[in-house]
Amino acid sequence: MLIIDENKLVSLSLIEEHFVCNLNACKGACCWEGDYGAPVSEEERTILEEIYPKLRPILTVEGNLSIALQGTSVWAEEGEEYATPLIDGAACAYLTRDENGIAKCGIEKAHEMGLIDFQKPISCHLYPVRIEKMSSGYEALNYHEWDICAAACANGKSLQMPVYQFVKNALVRKYGEAFYEELHAAAQHLK
């Protein structure tokens, strides 16, 4: 583990492992697989409530129905945190698909269209990195290995793209440029 920015514990696997999404292979399976939806913070819960009217026309009928029944976020007992709602316990309610059947985030689509300023939940943007808040006040950043991402691991390895570099924009969004530069310097030193 590395300590970055005084209170972030970064797993060495973020430096040692490789990852680049290969949506042609997985079709965005992380948006419909798993035990519960994407984790959302209290601030993101408020944002989802505010932006939902602009998302409604972009989302599927099933997604809108799930949100109408459950709300824009739900309590996920499994993770002991709030998360995006699911459609029948499977796909994220915010999931859309492109013309090739690849899962896309409806929130991100609305952002790209200029309808909203919010890109998507940070937990989605950071994936495959997961953040665990510790009782000590530290935040642990870990690499989440999932068999549905085997093609992303192979793609990352062929491109020699470490996990932390793949999620650079998300890390900068979450912690700032100085955090990323410190992490990058530590990674270079370890090499």
Side-chain angles (χ1 to χ4, degrees), residues 99-114:
E99 60 280 352
N100 298 315
I102 295 174
K104 300 285 184 173
C105 177
I107 301 167
E108 190 167 30
K109 185 174 179 179
H111 178 264
E112 290 168 356
M113 293 169 67

Side-chain angles (χ1 to χ4, degrees), residues 117-138:
D117 292 331
F118 181 64
Q119 187 173 355
K120 61 182 168 181
I122 194 68
S123 66
C124 297
H125 198 186
L126 278 168
Y127 196 78
V129 174
R130 288 289 185 220
I131 299 172
E132 179 185 351
K133 294 185 187 287
M134 305 174 77
S135 59
S136 63
Y138 281 82

Side-chain angles (χ1 to χ4, degrees), residues 63-99:
N64 280 311
L65 181 58
S66 292
I67 292 169
L69 294 172
Q70 301 174 67
T72 56
S73 63
V74 298
W75 179 253
E77 289 291 333
E78 302 90 339
E80 297 181 5
E81 60 191 338
Y82 283 96
T84 58
L86 300 178
I87 301 168
D88 297 326
C92 176
Y94 296 102
L95 177 143
T96 63
R97 293 191 189 273
D98 71 10
E99 60 280 352

Side-chain angles (χ1 to χ4, degrees), residues 5 10 33 40-42 65 70 73 83 101 103 112 120 125 153-154 159:
D5 195 29
V10 179
E33 295 283 343
V40 293
S41 68
E42 284 296 327
L65 181 58
Q70 301 174 67
S73 63
E112 290 168 356
K120 61 182 168 181
H125 198 186
C153 296
L159 296 171

